[in-house]
Amino acid sequence: QEWAIERCLDEKRSLLVAPTGFGKSLCFSLPAAMMKGVCIVVSPLLSLIQDQIRVLPARLPAVTLSGPMSTASMAATLDDIVRGRIKVVFVSPERLTSASFRRLFRPRWNKETNQQERTFPPVSVFCVDEAHCLSQWAHNFRPSYLRLGSMLELIAPQSVLAVTATAGPPVVTDICRTLKILSASNET
């Protein structure tokens, strides 16, 4: 855990393969609490998202943008994110890669400042939970995972963390390629 937390705080891209029950959520939640901006956690299951939100401390406000949401609820949640009231945003890969979500990260002209500005706050940590879903074998199951790598340039996170309990060498290679994570021997 310490290694992954330090890597996030040092604004690096990392993959943590650790057993179930290891406390992988601490590896993104602690940096989220310590860093400016919002942490985005991509997670494949709504039930997993709800469990993770339930165990986060109250001083680390979190929301989900996954599952069924009314337009009013979505607008209120986005307003809370933009105003800095939220520290952790859980989102499915399908919602994250949707056209409407992509628009949140595109700069818009601000008449008051006479410059382009992004509405979505800076992203401290971009975490892919259950990162083994990025692997080749999962592409037919959840094709939105294929687009996560292309979202990184648009989101511009300070750090990237992929976490999973299941990853042999071929899966590790797929995760690292998709999220542009260098192996320890290739870092500068």
Side-chain angles (χ1 to χ4, degrees), residues 15-188:
L15 167 62
L16 175 65
V17 180
T20 301
F22 179 80
K24 292 183 288 291
S25 61
L26 180 64
C27 298
F28 66 79
S29 61
L30 186 57
M34 297 173 69
M35 298 170 78
K36 290 185 179 185
V38 64
C39 171
I40 294 177
V41 180
V42 180
S43 186
L45 301 170
L46 189 55
S47 60
L48 179 60
I49 290 171
Q50 291 166 341
D51 287 346
Q52 288 180 324
I53 288 175
R54 205 174 4 262
V55 299
L56 286 175
R59 64 180 178 264
L60 193 61
V63 295
T64 182
L65 294 175
S66 297
M69 295 181 81
S70 68
T71 303
S73 176
M74 178 68 80
T77 300
L78 289 173
D79 185 61
D80 283 343
I81 293 167
V82 168
R83 293 180 185 274
R85 297 180 188 133
I86 303 299
K87 288 297 287 178
V88 182
V89 176
F90 289 89
V91 63
S92 68
E94 291 79 12
R95 180 69 55 93
L96 180 80
T97 59
S98 69
S100 60
F101 205 84
R102 291 173 85 82
R103 278 193 295 274
L104 295 174
F105 294 96
R106 291 206 173 97
R108 294 187 180 123
W109 186 256
N110 183 329
K111 293 178 189 176
E112 294 174 15
T113 63
N114 280 335
Q115 59 186 5
Q116 296 276 355
E117 293 178 1
R118 183 168 101 171
T119 305
F120 204 91
V123 176
S124 57
V125 179
F126 180 82
C127 179
V128 180
D129 197 8
E130 305 296 338
H132 58 275
C133 293
L134 285 164
S135 182
Q136 292 281 340
W137 69 267
H139 293 169
N140 291 333
F141 170 60
R142 301 290 286 271
S144 294
Y145 274 102
L146 287 172
R147 295 188 290 278
L148 292 184
S150 68
M151 290 294 295
L152 290 177
E153 188 173 322
L154 184 62
I155 293 172
Q158 294 172 38
S159 62
V160 174
L161 177 64
V163 296
T164 185
T166 311
V171 174
V172 166
T173 299
D174 285 345
I175 293 168
C176 292
R177 184 181 332 110
T178 301
L179 298 178
K180 299 172 182 71
I181 298 171
L182 298 175
S183 68
S185 61
N186 293 333
E187 287 191 352
T188 56

